[in-house]
Amino acid sequence: MNRHRQIYEGKAKILYATDDPDVLLAYFKDDATAFNAQKRGTIVGKGEINCQIAAHLFREIEAQGIATHYIDCPAADEMRVKAVQIMPIEVVVRNIAAGSLCQQTGIALGTILPQPLVEFFYKNDALGDPLLTRDRLLLMELATSAQLDILHAKAIQINHILQNFFKQCAITLVDFKIEFGVDKHQQILLADEISPDSCRLWLTGEPDPDLRVLDKDRFRRDLGNVEDAYRAVLARVLGVRE
Ligand code: TMP
């Protein structure tokens, strides 16, 4: 795949232009960061693993009627995507309490939530990606009220699809972060990636709170075997249909 001008470099991916102005090429890096890039490292093979996991999940979501930016993968660590303007909002969906929800509310780790919780964070590293209220989102004109309703509805649908999918892999979907973009037709597409970098995934039925972790928390919390956990997720994801 011909790579042209680099358009953007994020913490986990580089975006390149292609011959077609409506198509970009995303290259998935092995670089890992946490805590707003205060912690940095490399997870060997992560680029390929996350690209393949994300591709599979995007196909699954697309098949169930939600538009995504995914086109195809010309190489194991490369994804062709539709060009979109990324909305600077990180949409988090939670099924089980973990991470910042526990830190900010005192709800115990592992508490099953009565219904999925959808939260909007401001995608802004300089400000530390703060949690926003709906009124703040509108005040800052990050999205219209109608767009927020669409994001919320899509997030709930995507959660439903992913929960069912991971259940078949004997993986429990604790929470995840997604991003959306707007294409040239003003259509909102699911964008960025869905991978162990952006989800909390627990081995179903594993009671040990460290052994069950199959996601980037292994890197964040120095639990070891990060690469093995990512590979285990890929193997389970590919083992289902495909
Ligand atoms: P949190 O509990 O730290 O708010 O994270 C919620 C989910 O969002 C979790 O699955 C990890 C994911 N996430 C990202 O993908 N990027 C981030 O920068 C952060 C803070 C969380």
Side-chain angles (χ1 to χ4, degrees):
M1 181 80 202
N2 280 339
R3 286 184 191 163
H4 294 262
R5 185 171 50 91
Q6 183 175 314
I7 290 193
Y8 172 82
E9 177 159 10
K11 285 177 288 212
K13 291 185 289 300
I14 303 175
L15 280 180
Y16 297 91
T18 68
D19 294 333
D20 181 342
D22 294 335
V23 175
L24 301 180
L25 184 73
Y27 166 70
F28 285 63
K29 301 192 280 185
D30 285 354
D31 300 353
T33 65
F35 313 117
N36 207 5
Q38 290 175 62
K39 182 182 173 93
R40 289 174 182 275
T42 300
I43 301 172
V44 177
K46 178 171 86 80
E48 289 190 12
I49 297 169
N50 278 4
C51 183
Q52 295 311 301
I53 293 172
H56 196 89
L57 297 177
F58 280 139
R59 287 196 292 266
E60 184 71 27
I61 290 166
E62 191 90 45
Q64 298 201 39
I66 307 251
T68 78
H69 72 158
Y70 172 78
I71 300 172
D72 59 15
C73 292
D77 55 1
E78 290 181 355
M79 186 183 287
R80 291 197 315 140
V81 297
K82 294 172 194 157
V84 293
Q85 195 70 43
I86 292 285
M87 301 172 82
I89 301 174
E90 300 197 344
V91 182
V92 169
V93 185
R94 302 178 192 272
N95 298 303
I96 296 177
S100 68
L101 178 66
C102 297
Q103 285 153 19
Q104 295 174 4
T105 65
I107 297 172
L109 173 69
T111 304
I112 296 170
L113 305 181
Q115 58 191 40
L117 177 69
V118 179
E119 297 179 318
F120 298 110
F121 291 76
Y122 187 19
K123 185 176 159 69
N124 184 318
D125 284 342
L127 296 175
D129 297 344
L131 177 65
L132 294 180
T133 61
R134 186 180 179 95
D135 284 351
R136 282 190 184 183
L137 284 154
L138 296 174
L139 173 73
M140 295 162 72
E141 297 182 350
L142 293 182
T144 64
S145 186
Q147 283 177 325
L148 290 179
D149 290 343
I150 293 171
L151 296 189
H152 190 282
K154 283 186 189 281
I156 292 287
Q157 284 175 285
I158 292 163
N159 180 51
H160 189 69
I161 295 165
L162 292 179
Q163 258 193 320
N164 285 336
F165 180 82
F166 279 118
K167 204 174 189 177
Q168 298 172 65
C169 311
I171 289 173
T172 300
L173 179 62
V174 174
D175 59 31
F176 61 94
K177 182 269 299 177
I178 44 180
E179 296 178 23
F180 293 90
V182 181
D183 71 8
K184 64 175 182 183
H185 307 294
Q186 294 305 305
Q187 201 197 355
I188 295 180
L189 307 183
L190 176 64
D192 191 51
E193 69 178 271
I194 305 177
S195 73
D197 271 9
S198 61
C199 302
R200 283 198 174 89
L201 303 168
W202 292 353
L203 206 50
T204 304
E206 172 55 62
D208 187 293
D210 291 347
L211 286 180
R212 70 187 175 192
V213 175
L214 294 178
D215 56 69
K216 197 166 142 188
D217 273 349
R218 299 206 74 82
F219 171 76
R220 294 189 188 97
R221 294 164 45 203
D222 292 319
L223 296 176
N225 301 322
V226 187
E227 200 189 316
D228 293 346
Y230 277 55
R231 283 196 192 283
V233 173
L234 176 61
R236 283 166 185 252
V237 163
L238 295 182
V240 180
R241 282 180 246 153
E242 181 84 358

